Structure formats: structure tokens, C-alpha cells
């Protein structure tokens, strides 16, 4: 049977595991199995892993680290005379892991499960899948790192004969996974049992060990500035060297109460060298980084709120990621969760091992555990707002933390008679305002001629890999559009992937024609907005709103001058505000 390997593609370190006789085993790539996610160009050779890491401090310009932070972006990376996309660099790391696993284990690696932070956006997940493809791999599944870790902990408990592992009574039904790695922080709350259910997951894709290292770097830079009057803030070779020094100090402080930072060869501009010698106590380090730790605690509290759980209900706190070896982390968590169990399992390997278990489940090797995952972000549709404060709202279609796979639909309504099209804009994020969220895709649905308030059904699906599909349909007219989202190329939105399915039955071909009275407002109103518009006494107000909308959209589309757009917007807002007031008065009368 062809095995499916589990890969933890980390910001700082990566790891590959596979099931052997029903047990996950980490393949000792680069000795320990903890493989730095670094590539470095040495002449014509592209080094990956530990060798690249060794070279990176001395040759930062020929090296790339923390590429995971760039996944989902279109940033170009240069090595030598070639430029690369983030996916290419991640593909090199994946390829290296698989080649080494082949060399060590003797089996070719083709099928993989790759983990991502639960907080990763759609673009970042797609980008990760793309990296797998570029590495020549079949990516069977993308799963969330905390979920993988919990799968592994659960497996360890079950196979160690812990009777409470499955029924969840003694160990507590709920586990919290706290994962602080090199570049990302994740916290998830899981309900343990025959099914592992993710009740909540949140975090920060820009918070991790690098930030802690940078605090020490800043401290050293201060000392150099005071001592030598040198400002090395923008001197890349010095920074690369100091980051390595800082990381070593941080790691040492997990074991020791104090360290001496001694460095005699810090490269300075014009070929100079400078030195640093300072003592850093664990206490001082904890002071320097207290706010970072507190940021993780805020996320923990947020996750608890989302799961509607009190700390006393958490039976286990699972620590994942190299940074959780810092004593402050378990200490701080213990303040909140009291005597919750923190099992002593290697925080570096559990994610890859969990991914290998998931691989076994897919290939049919181990079917005991079923995995239920959740959506990390709310997916909403931009609609015309009913309230006066802003013109547009994001109306949620799939709320965050909904179990996946999921398909949800909602009905919206057109604004004007003979509206030509509606623009379906998919937003990701928790804000009610579009500006506060990320636009991840958009498409147009061309409409058949119809009266105003024509129902439009919008259906979103979120698949097992956390990827988004959209279907929009004009009800009763068989006009449909589907969207595959490539959120990494936002400039292509709207023009691509538009498929129209027409059955022609109730199709009025002339609807395509440019009739004079065809409204071309490209927005939706929600059910509430529809009521508001329909409830207006005079046809006049409603017509005014319609024509204003048409003008507004035209001005926006033609890139009309700002003053113009603003003016129409103001008019629209005041009209809608009046509408709301009317509505409220009606309510009072009743
Ligand atoms: P990622 O999942 O982002 O790849 P890891 O889980 O491998 O990251 O964690 C890497 C981070 O953990 C780095 O910032 C590293 O410096 C830090 N780290 C590793 N070991 C220790 C330790 N003993 N004490 C403190 N930090 C550590
Ligand atoms: Mg990790």
C-alpha cells in the first residue's frame, strides 16, 4: 500500500512523518528530524535545511528564511540572478524533505498531507497546495496544525492504554492547543472523543519566535549605539548575525536563569567589526517580551469565548511549537487553567506526526479517528447597507468556526427594475464593514430582465481543504455564475472563471440589449433593505434611490472624480437614513 506522509511545513522548521505499524514515526532528516525551513544559494547549488541554515547567517542575501510568512502573496524573491515566488521556495523545502525521506526510508514519497496554521486564509492554503504541486507531490489534504497535534496526542493517549483517552471523562472533554512557533501563533479548542471536533480556533499569523528574537536584537543594537555610536539598524549582515545570536540566547534562557551575550564579530559598514558583551537574565527577557506573551493570552481568551467555555472546563492544554519550551508559557497558562494536564510530548514533532495519522486515515490504514475541522474566517457577501452609517455591509454567509465541509446559501434581492447584473464580492474576515475585511474574490452575475427585488441565491461552500467555491443564481431565470477564487491575483477578479448556465426557457434574449430604462446598479440589498425600500410611501423616493445607485455605480466604474462619487454617496446615505427613520416611526405607531 502506498503510504501518505505527513508534513509540518513550518515557518522556521519543517518535519516529515509516516505511519509505521500504525504508529507515527518522524523521519530523521538532518539528524533530528527538525529541518530548518531555509534555502540558500551556494554558487550553483541550492542548499536546503540545516546546511542552508548554517550558511544563512553569513550570506543573508543568498538565503531565504520564513518564506511561510509570504505564502499567499505575490512577492518576488531573488536568489542569484533568478527570481522566485514563495511557492517555489516552499516547493524546494518540500522536495528536500521527500527526497531525504526516500533516501533514509527507501520508499518514494508521492502522496502527502500538509499542515497549515488554523488561521491561514484561503489564499495561504491555496498557495500551500500549489507549493506541493510544484514539488511534484499529490497533496491529499491540507489540515490545521492544532488539529494534527490533537490527533497525535489523542493517539499517544489511546495507545498508552489511557482509558480516559476516548470517553473524555477523566481527561476532560475539552483540550486547548497552544502553538507558538517561529512565525505564527495558533490557539484552538477541541472537543475530544470518538470525533475530534474543533470548537474554536484563532491566532495571529504574525506573531512568533522571530518577534521574541527581534526584541533581543533591538536591545543589542541599543548597546552598540550607546557604546560605539554606530547605527546598525539597516545593516543586513549585522542583523542576520545578531538574529542568530539572539535566538541562541533565547533558547539558552529556557534552561538557564541568565546568559552572557558575547559577540566579537558583528559586521559593521565599511568592513569594520564591532563587539557586544551583555548579560541578559530570564527575568529581563520576560519583561522585554511580556506584551508578546500577553497577545497570545488575549487570543486564548478569545478562543474560550468563542467556544463558550470557562477555563475550568478545559481538561488538557497541549503545547505545540518550539517556543512553548520557554518556562513562561506553561507558567502563564497554568495561571489560567490551574492544574490542567500538560502532557510531556515533544512540541516539535507532534504536528507532523498528527499529519501522518491523518494520512493513514485517508489511505485506510487507521480509520479509528474521524476529523472534523472548522472554517477559520467568516465568509461574507458585500451588500447594500440598510443603515445610514455606511453604504455597504458584509453579510455573513458562512460564519467562522462552522464545521467543514459546509455549503450555505442565502437569498438577496436586486435593487432596480431591469437590473443588468449583480456583482458578487466575497469577503473574508470578522468586520461588518468591507474595509475591515479581505476581498478574496468577485464575479458578475448577468441578469435576465426582471422587476426590482428579484431574488438572487448566493451559495458558498468551504471544502475540506478550506477552499472557497461560490454559486450565484437568479431565481426563476436559470441564470447562474460560479466562481473559483484565485485570491493571489486580485487584479483578475471579475473577468475570469465566469460561467453562465442558461437553459433559455424563460430567457428573454432582448434582455441583453441596452434598453434605456435598464438599471445597472451592481449591488444587492439585504432582506432588510428590501423591506425598507418597498416600504417607502412615495414611489418617488424609491425611484430616486434607484437612479442614485445607477449614477453611483457608473461614477465608480468610470473612475469618476472623487468629489462626484462622494457627493452621490452623501445623497444616498441621507436618503437611506430618512428611510430608516420612517421605518422606526412606523414601529412606534404600532
Ligand atoms: P514553526 O512551527 O514556526 O516552524 P517551531 O515550532 O519549529 O516553529 O518553533 C521555532 C521557534 O522555536 C524558533 O523561534 C526557535 O527559536 C524556538 N525554539 C526552539 N527551541 C526553543 C527553546 N528550547 N526555547 C525557546 N525557544 C525555542
Ligand atoms: Mg509549527
Amino acid at each position: 500500500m502506498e503510504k501518505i506522509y505527513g508534513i509540518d511545513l513550518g515557518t522556521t522548521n519543517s518535519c516529515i512523518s509516516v505511519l509505521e505499524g500504525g504508529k507515527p514515526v518522524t523521519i530523521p532528516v538532518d539528524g533530528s528530524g527538525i529541518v530548518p525551513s531555509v534555502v540558500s544559494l551556494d554558487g550553483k547549488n541550492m542548499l536546503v535545511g540545516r546546511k542552508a541554515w548554517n550558511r544563512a547567517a553569513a550570506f543573508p542575501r543568498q538565503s531565504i528564511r520564513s518564506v511561510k510568512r509570504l505564502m499567499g502573496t505575490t512577492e518576488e524573491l531573488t536568489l542569484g540572478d533568478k527570481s522566485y515566488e514563495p511557492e517555489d521556495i516552499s516547493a524546494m523545502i518540500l522536495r528536500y524533505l521527500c527526497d531525504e525521506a526516500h533516501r533514509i526510508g527507501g520508499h518514494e514519497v508521492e502522496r502527502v498531507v500538509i499542515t497549515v496554521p488554523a488561521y491561514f486564509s484561503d489564499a495561504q492554503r491555496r498557495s500551500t497546495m500549489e507549493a506541493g504541486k510544484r514539488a511534484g507531490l499529490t497533496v491529499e489534504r491540507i489540515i490545521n496544525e492544532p488539529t494534527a497535534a490533537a490527533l497525535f496526542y489523542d493517539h499517544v493517549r489511546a495507545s498508552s492504554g489511557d482509558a480516559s483517552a476516548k470517553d473524555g471523562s477523566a481527561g476532560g472533554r475539552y483540550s486547548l492547543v497552544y502553538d507558538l512557533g517561529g512565525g505564527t501563533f495558533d490557539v484552538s479548542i477541541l472537543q475530544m472523543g470518538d470525533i475530534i471536533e474543533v470548537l474554536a480556533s484563532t491566532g495571529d499569523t504574525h506573531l512568533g519566535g522571530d518577534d521574541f528574537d527581534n526584541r533581543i536584537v533591538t536591545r543589542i543594537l541599543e548597546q552598540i549605539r550607546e557604546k560605539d555610536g554606530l547605527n546598525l539598524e539597516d545593516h543586513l549582515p549585522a542583523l542576520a548575525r545578531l538574529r542568530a545570536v539572539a535566538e541562541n540566547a533565547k533558547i539558552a534562557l529556557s534552561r538557564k536563569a541568565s546568559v552572557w551575550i558575547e559577540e566579537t564579530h558583528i559586521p559593521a559598514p565599511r568592513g569594520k567589526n564591532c563587539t557586544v558583551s551583555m548579560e541578559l537574565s530570564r527575568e529581563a527577557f520576560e519583561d522585554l517580551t511580556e506584551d508578546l506573551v500577553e497577545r497570545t493570552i488575549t487570543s486564548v481568551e478569545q478562543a474560550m469565548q468563542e467556544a463558550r467555555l470557562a477555563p475550568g472546563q478545559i481538561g488538557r492544554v497541549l503545547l505545540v511549537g518550539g517556543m512553548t519550551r520557554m518556562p513562561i508559557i506553561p507558567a502563564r497558562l497554568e495561571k489560567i487553567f490551574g492544574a490542567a494536564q500538560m502532557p510531556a510530548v515533544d512540541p516539535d514533532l507532534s504536528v507532523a506526526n498528527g499529519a501522518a495519522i491523518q494520512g493513514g486515515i485517508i489511505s485506510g490504514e487507521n480509520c479509528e479517528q474521524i476529523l472534523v475541522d472548522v472554517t477559520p474566517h467568516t465568509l461574507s457577501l458585500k451588500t447594500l447597507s440598510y443603515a445610514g452609517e455606511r453604504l455597504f455591509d458584509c453579510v455573513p454567509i458562512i460564519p467562522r468556526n462552522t464545521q467543514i465541509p459546509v455549503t450555505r446559501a442565502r437569498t438577496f434581492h436586486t435593487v432596480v427594475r431591469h437590473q443588468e447584473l449583480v456583482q458578487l464580492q466575497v469577503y473574508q474576515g470578522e468586520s461588518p464593514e468591507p474595509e475591515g475585511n479581505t476581498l478574496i474574490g468577485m464575479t458578475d452575475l448577468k441578469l435576465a430582465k426582471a422587476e426590482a427585488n428579484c431574488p438572487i441565491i448566493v451559495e458558498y461552500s468551504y471544502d475540506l481543504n478550506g477552499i472557497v467555491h461560490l454559486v450565484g443564481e437568479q431565481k426563476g431565470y436559470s441564470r447562474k455564475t460560479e466562481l473559483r477564487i484565485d485570491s493571489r491575483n486580485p487584479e483578475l477578479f471579475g473577468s475570469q472563471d465566469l460561467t453562465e448556465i442558461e437553459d433559455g426557457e424563460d430567457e428573454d434574449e432582448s434582455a441583453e440589449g441596452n434598453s434605456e430604462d435598464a438599471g445597472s446598479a451592481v449591488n444587492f440589498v439585504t432582506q432588510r433593505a428590501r423591506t425598507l425600500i418597498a416600504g417607502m410611501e412615495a414611489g418617488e423616493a424609491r425611484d430616486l434611490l434607484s437612479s442614485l445607485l445607477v449614477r453611483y455605480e457608473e461614477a465608480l466604474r468610470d473612475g469618476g472624480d472623487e468629489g462626484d462619487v462622494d457627493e452621490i454617496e452623501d445623497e444616498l446615505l441621507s436618503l437611506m437614513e430618512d428611510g430608516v427613520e420612517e421605518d422606526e416611526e412606523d414601529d412606534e405607531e404600532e
Side-chain angles (χ1 to χ4, degrees), residues 418-436:
H418 291 182
Q419 189 165 322
E420 283 173 1
L421 58 82
V422 288
Q423 202 170 53
L424 306 174
Q425 298 190 10
V426 185
Y427 277 83
Q428 174 175 279
E430 311 315 311
S431 169
E433 300 170 39
E435 296 73 37

Side-chain angles (χ1 to χ4, degrees), residues 152-287:
F152 176 58
Y153 281 109
D154 208 43
H155 171 91
V156 169
R157 272 155 53 92
S159 55
S160 68
D162 182 342
S164 68
K166 287 276 160 173
D167 69 44
S169 52
R173 276 176 72 200
Y174 304 107
S175 294
L176 182 137
V177 181
Y178 179 104
D179 179 352
L180 188 56
T184 52
F185 173 65
D186 268 287
V187 55
S188 304
I189 293 169
L190 312 160
Q191 185 170 330
M192 311 303 289
D194 279 336
I195 293 174
I196 299 177
E197 207 174 310
V198 185
L199 299 181
S201 76
T202 181
D204 192 329
T205 49
H206 282 83
L207 176 60
D210 295 348
D211 302 300
F212 288 72
D213 300 346
N214 283 337
R215 292 290 165 86
I216 301 180
V217 170
T218 306
R219 195 59 201 279
I220 300 174
L221 287 175
E222 268 167 27
Q223 202 206 49
I224 292 173
R225 210 171 14 240
E226 279 166 24
K227 185 168 65 76
D228 303 326
L230 276 174
N231 190 350
L232 299 181
E233 234 165 70
D234 302 317
H235 192 55
L236 204 56
L239 289 181
R241 182 80 211 109
L242 289 181
R243 282 201 191 105
V245 169
E247 187 180 4
N248 285 337
K250 173 190 72 180
I251 291 173
L253 284 173
S254 291
R255 283 180 288 113
K256 300 198 238 169
S258 183
V259 291
W260 270 97
I261 299 174
E262 295 272 7
E263 194 57 34
T264 49
H265 295 291
I266 300 166
R270 286 179 285 281
K272 279 192 210 148
N273 260 339
C274 70
T275 63
V276 68
S277 171
M278 65 186 250
E279 190 180 16
L280 185 64
S281 69
R282 185 187 286 164
E283 222 182 330
F285 172 60
E286 286 173 356
D287 281 347

Side-chain angles (χ1 to χ4, degrees), residues 418-585:
H418 291 182
Q419 189 165 322
E420 283 173 1
L421 58 82
V422 288
Q423 202 170 53
L424 306 174
Q425 298 190 10
V426 185
Y427 277 83
Q428 174 175 279
E430 311 315 311
S431 169
E433 300 170 39
E435 296 73 37
N437 294 324
T438 312
L439 176 66
I440 63 165
M442 84 165 106
T443 183
D444 289 345
L445 171 61
K446 293 199 185 118
L447 303 177
K449 260 190 186 175
E451 291 304 312
N453 300 332
C454 177
I456 308 284
I457 300 163
V458 180
E459 181 186 280
Y460 285 8
S461 304
Y462 210 98
D463 73 13
L464 279 171
N465 296 318
I467 284 166
V468 180
H469 305 266
L470 171 153
V471 179
E473 187 183 357
Q474 185 182 15
K475 204 175 167 194
Y477 292 85
S478 303
R479 286 296 190 102
K480 250 190 182 178
T481 182
E482 288 175 27
L483 178 65
R484 274 175 288 126
I485 295 167
D486 186 351
S487 42
R488 290 179 305 134
N489 290 308
E491 67 275 15
L492 297 178
F493 284 170
S495 58
Q496 64 171 11
D497 296 326
L498 178 69
T499 46
E500 258 186 57
I501 305 156
E502 302 169 358
D503 67 8
E505 223 174 61
D506 39 26
E507 185 86 308
D508 178 3
E509 278 308 314
S510 69
E512 306 274 22
N514 259 341
S515 62
E516 275 296 297
D517 61 345
S520 55
V522 287
N523 292 286
F524 279 145
V525 278
T526 62
Q527 184 68 40
R528 287 177 297 183
R530 188 185 78 118
T531 318
L532 170 65
I533 294 163
M536 283 180 182
E537 287 279 275
E540 228 178 71
R542 189 170 138 177
D543 289 349
L544 182 60
L545 182 62
S546 295
S547 69
L548 270 173
L549 270 169
V550 173
R551 271 175 57 206
Y552 180 69
E553 290 299 332
E554 274 169 0
L556 278 184
R557 211 173 18 216
D558 306 341
D561 80 286
E562 232 169 82
D564 221 27
V565 173
D566 286 351
E567 200 185 293
I568 306 174
E569 211 170 278
D570 285 349
E571 267 182 81
L572 266 172
L573 288 176
S574 69
L575 186 65
M576 285 196 283
E577 260 167 59
D578 291 348
V580 172
E581 277 163 18
E582 267 177 35
D583 231 28
E584 281 165 358
E585 276 163 26

